[in-house]
Amino acid sequence: MMTIRMPDLYNRVSQIIPQPDWMLFEDDIEAIFMLKREKNAVILAHNYQTPEIFHGVADIVGDSLALAREAARVEADVIVMAGVHFMAETAKLLSPKKTVLIPDMRAGCSLADSITPANIAQLREAHPDVPIITYVNTSAAVKAASDICCTSGNAVKIVESLGVPKVLMIPDGYLARNVARETDVEIIAWNGTCEVHELFTPEDVRGMRESWPGVTILAHPECPPDVVAEADFAGSTAAMSDFVGDKKPARVCLLTECSMSDNVAVNHPEVKFIRPCNLCPHMKRITLGNIREALEKGHHEVTVDPAIAADARRSVERMLEI
Ligand code: 13P
Ligand code: SF4
């Protein structure tokens, strides 16, 4: 009979990963531990990564804002981004001397794909003198053409920090409208959407309340505004996780990507998670197997064109200062 080689690690995740599945992961996890030491590498993992990555091999986990902050201060030669491409690019901007790897170059984002620097130029022409705030879910080229970045964790604060009556907020139209409900600053939005969060509907929320009376419903601000309006709380992935830790609702439903509930549930076994969720196909391109391969072969290296790097870095650093 096969035995578990890493019982302490497995005990942490045993409520969400069946033992036979875990056994299939152990070879890769052991190899990744060794490779990290050998290459002086760290793994940064977003909250949407699968539990065997998030709880098994990641050194630093968090929302986009936390990953950007940590990329700037982490000490290592190599950063492996277990997340999507814009997160790896942001890490490279903030840690230009480190090698930044993404295990699958195809890990993109529908929001990042929804806007180009040419679109920004059109917006500048149509709205001269209105500052452009770009969500971090964009390419480095779009960040370079914008004035400042924001994440879902600091969007209201960034909007209000500029001290102007009107801003452009790109590319997530729903995030922009959700932020507009919380500030007096006028917000002009772009029409990008997150292909994961746009699928939630107010009917989902009502159906859940009917099936699970008393359930606490948390929504990511990339959800449509009528969904956020019916939820009990809206916030970034880190804010949702903190909400569960602070309030410990008896039953909770996170309207966001599927792995999020698994990852948060590990730390809160007393909370019951109701799990209607949507998968992000981009986040799911990252696996233990391709993280191991990235470390073994040093691929796929993420670089940023020097012609745009300084301007893109300025947009991200301006955000981090606030
Ligand atoms: P957070 O910044 O809240 O982690 O969100 C990132 C993301 O891609 C959500 O879809
Ligand atoms: Fe992009 Fe949405 Fe996936 Fe986040 S969940 S990476 S916003 S497609």
Side-chain angles (χ1 to χ4, degrees), residues 46 48 63-64 86-87 135 137 152 197 220 222 236-237:
H46 185 260
Y48 294 163
D63 64 356
S64 313
F86 76 81
M87 295 176 177
Y135 197 29
N137 298 40
S152 57
H197 292 93
H220 194 277
E222 290 169 10
S236 76
T237 56

Side-chain angles (χ1 to χ4, degrees), residues 119-252:
N119 298 138
I120 304 274
Q122 288 156 2
L123 287 171
R124 292 246 186 242
E125 214 175 292
H127 306 277
D129 305 326
V130 179
I132 299 185
I133 303 175
T134 179
Y135 197 29
V136 279
N137 298 40
T138 46
S139 66
V142 165
K143 289 183 176 77
S146 304
D147 296 296
I148 185 168
C149 289
C150 75
T151 71
S152 57
N154 62 16
V156 176
K157 206 168 166 185
I158 299 289
V159 165
E160 297 195 335
S161 75
L162 300 184
V164 293
K166 198 195 287 186
V167 298
L168 275 144
M169 201 168 170
I170 55 115
D172 188 341
Y174 290 152
L175 177 73
R177 281 161 57 198
N178 286 322
V179 169
R181 286 159 32 125
E182 294 183 40
T183 178
D184 292 333
V185 178
E186 186 187 335
I187 296 184
I188 307 170
W190 187 250
N191 59 4
T193 53
C194 161
E195 68 189 86
V196 175
H197 292 93
E198 70 178 347
L199 301 178
F200 293 108
T201 66
E203 289 71 38
D204 292 337
V205 179
R206 279 172 230 146
M208 224 119 57
R209 293 206 194 278
E210 240 176 80
S211 307
W212 304 95
V215 66
T216 300
I217 299 180
L218 316 187
H220 194 277
E222 290 169 10
C223 291
D226 49 3
V227 171
V228 169
E230 296 209 18
D232 298 300
F233 173 81
S236 76
T237 56
M240 285 196 265
S241 176
D242 290 348
F243 183 101
V244 174
D246 293 346
K247 306 268 195 262
K248 302 222 183 325
R251 272 192 192 138
V252 73

Side-chain angles (χ1 to χ4, degrees), residues 1-2 4 13 35 66 73 75 94 115 132 134 143 148-150 163 166 201 220 224 241 270 292 307 310 318:
M1 195 180 107
M2 283 172 73
I4 294 220
V13 292
L35 286 158
R73 62 175 160 231
E75 287 194 22
L94 295 170
I115 193 155
I132 299 185
T134 179
K143 289 183 176 77
I148 185 168
C149 289
C150 75
K166 198 195 287 186
T201 66
H220 194 277
S241 176
E270 71 285 18
R292 176 178 177 173
R318 225 182 133 193

Side-chain angles (χ1 to χ4, degrees), residues 10 66 75 102 104 114 136 154 170 202 302 308 310 320:
Y10 182 60
E75 287 194 22
I102 187 154
D104 189 325
S114 71
V136 279
N154 62 16
I170 55 115
V302 175
I308 57 165
L320 293 178

